[in-house]
Amino acid sequence: MQLYHHPYSLDSQKVRIALEEKGIDYTSYHVNPLTGKNMNVTFFRMNPSAKLPVFQNGAHVIFRAIDIIQYIDRLAVHLSGEIQPENTEVHHWMRKVDGWNPKMFTLTHTPVKYRAFVSKFIRRVLIARMTEAPDLASMYHVKLRDAYETEDRLKDPDTILQCEEELSKLLDDVEAQLNETKYLAGDDFSPADSMFIPILARITLLDLHEEYISCRPRVLEYHTLVKQRHSYKVVIGKYFNGWKKYRTLFKTSFFLCVRTLFGKY
């Protein structure tokens, strides 16, 4: 089994937490989307959406995080030989969490100068890949158009407001649920938690903990609880706890600066 992912990718974090919780071994391949590695021709042929993560088990390739996690859950049941009843509450929360798209929220809370620098670099990567693989040029052009459309959407205050309101509504629903249960879908950790935890990590990374987490006592208590889990420490803590987040960000920034300096896209 192979997983193409990156620590920056929120959906990659969801899948990796699920894998760690189930104790499933896999081969890890880092594909950094901020440096355009997800646009490399070989990867793009396999996955024209260029989104992360990508999970491959033999000839079986899965792209969406929620689909991968459900597959992992079924695989774990098969390997254990234990038949477990289907938990509709878990699926309900997985779909609810999956319904919130973190992309615009992350970009709007990233300093403009850094966001613009990365966006310009990615556009140059796309143009370079069009030349490198003419047969994929039309699909690369779609990604280039998406990049420009994203920049336009970031100028729309209504889009930003809607994204923040949707996050607040999700957190309010979680707060209410955690008044009743220890974890998101009951008193045991489930795939729903694997999907939700990275959202809290992203909020913290963007220095918005006070605004979105601390003001919700049950969510705050839950966040403290899950940070103690081995899966959290391996998937998120290793890269983003304390000073480590600066090391992770510096490595990417250095790569982008050097590549830009020498025009290597």
Side-chain angles (χ1 to χ4, degrees):
M1 286 178 282
Q2 301 170 324
L3 182 69
Y4 299 84
H5 67 99
H6 195 269
Y8 286 123
S9 164
L10 192 146
D11 280 347
S12 293
Q13 292 172 358
K14 295 176 182 178
V15 171
R16 287 199 64 217
I17 288 176
L19 286 165
E20 292 294 332
E21 288 288 338
K22 297 298 183 182
I24 295 176
D25 291 331
Y26 61 95
T27 302
S28 171
Y29 295 99
H30 275 202
V31 182
N32 193 338
L34 297 185
T35 60
K37 291 299 183 182
N38 56 328
M39 301 298 175
N40 282 1
V41 173
T42 302
F43 184 80
F44 198 74
R45 286 190 191 281
M46 177 178 65
N47 176 25
S49 75
K51 294 180 180 180
L52 296 173
V54 175
F55 184 79
Q56 185 172 8
N57 187 9
H60 196 43
V61 182
I62 316 174
F63 303 105
R64 294 178 64 234
I66 189 171
D67 294 335
I68 297 172
I69 292 172
Q70 289 175 334
Y71 178 83
I72 291 167
D73 205 39
R74 292 193 298 270
L75 181 62
V77 170
H78 174 74
L79 292 174
S80 69
E82 298 179 1
I83 299 176
Q84 300 176 347
E86 184 175 354
N87 190 328
T88 56
E89 192 70 10
V90 171
H91 293 303
H92 164 74
W93 278 104
M94 288 178 72
R95 290 191 298 271
K96 183 185 282 285
V97 172
D98 189 56
W100 183 69
N101 188 337
K103 179 179 179 179
M104 299 305 293
F105 181 82
T106 300
L107 290 174
T108 55
H109 291 92
T110 301
V112 175
K113 64 178 181 179
Y114 298 125
R115 189 177 75 210
F117 178 60
V118 173
S119 179
K120 185 176 181 179
F121 182 89
I122 295 300
R123 292 198 298 269
R124 288 176 173 174
V125 168
L126 286 166
I127 293 169
R129 295 295 88 78
M130 287 182 195
T131 303
E132 182 181 346
D135 60 312
L136 297 175
S138 61
M139 288 188 285
Y140 278 122
H141 186 267
V142 170
K143 302 302 294 184
L144 184 61
R145 184 184 62 204
D146 289 345
Y148 281 111
E149 288 177 352
T150 296
E151 289 299 315
D152 289 338
R153 290 182 64 200
L154 287 169
K155 299 172 185 176
D156 181 5
D158 291 337
T159 298
I160 298 169
L161 180 61
Q162 180 182 354
C163 186
E164 292 175 341
E165 288 177 343
E166 288 174 353
L167 174 59
S168 294
K169 175 62 167 59
L170 173 61
L171 292 174
D172 287 342
D173 290 345
V174 170
E175 178 75 7
Q177 175 66 19
L178 293 175
N179 276 315
E180 307 294 332
T181 57
K182 183 178 180 180
Y183 291 102
L184 202 52
D187 290 328
D188 296 319
F189 191 95
S190 75
D193 299 290
S194 297
M195 292 195 63
F196 179 64
I197 290 169
I199 293 178
L200 300 181
R202 179 58 52 89
I203 291 170
T204 303
L205 179 64
L206 295 171
D207 293 325
L208 297 169
H209 191 278
E210 293 293 326
E211 184 177 347
Y212 289 97
I213 298 176
S214 295
C215 58
R216 296 176 172 89
R218 292 291 178 264
V219 173
L220 177 61
E221 182 180 328
Y222 170 88
H223 192 209
T224 302
L225 174 68
V226 297
K227 284 194 292 185
Q228 304 309 311
R229 299 185 74 88
H230 173 73
S231 59
Y232 185 98
K233 295 175 182 178
V234 170
V235 175
I236 297 171
K238 179 180 178 181
Y239 298 98
F240 297 109
N241 275 2
W243 63 271
K244 294 176 184 177
K245 70 177 181 180
Y246 299 108
R247 180 185 64 186
T248 303
L249 294 169
F250 175 77
K251 287 171 65 177
T252 295
S253 298
F254 181 76
F255 179 93
L256 291 175
C257 289
V258 170
R259 288 285 181 144
T260 300
L261 180 64
F262 291 100
K264 299 292 185 179
Y265 304 107

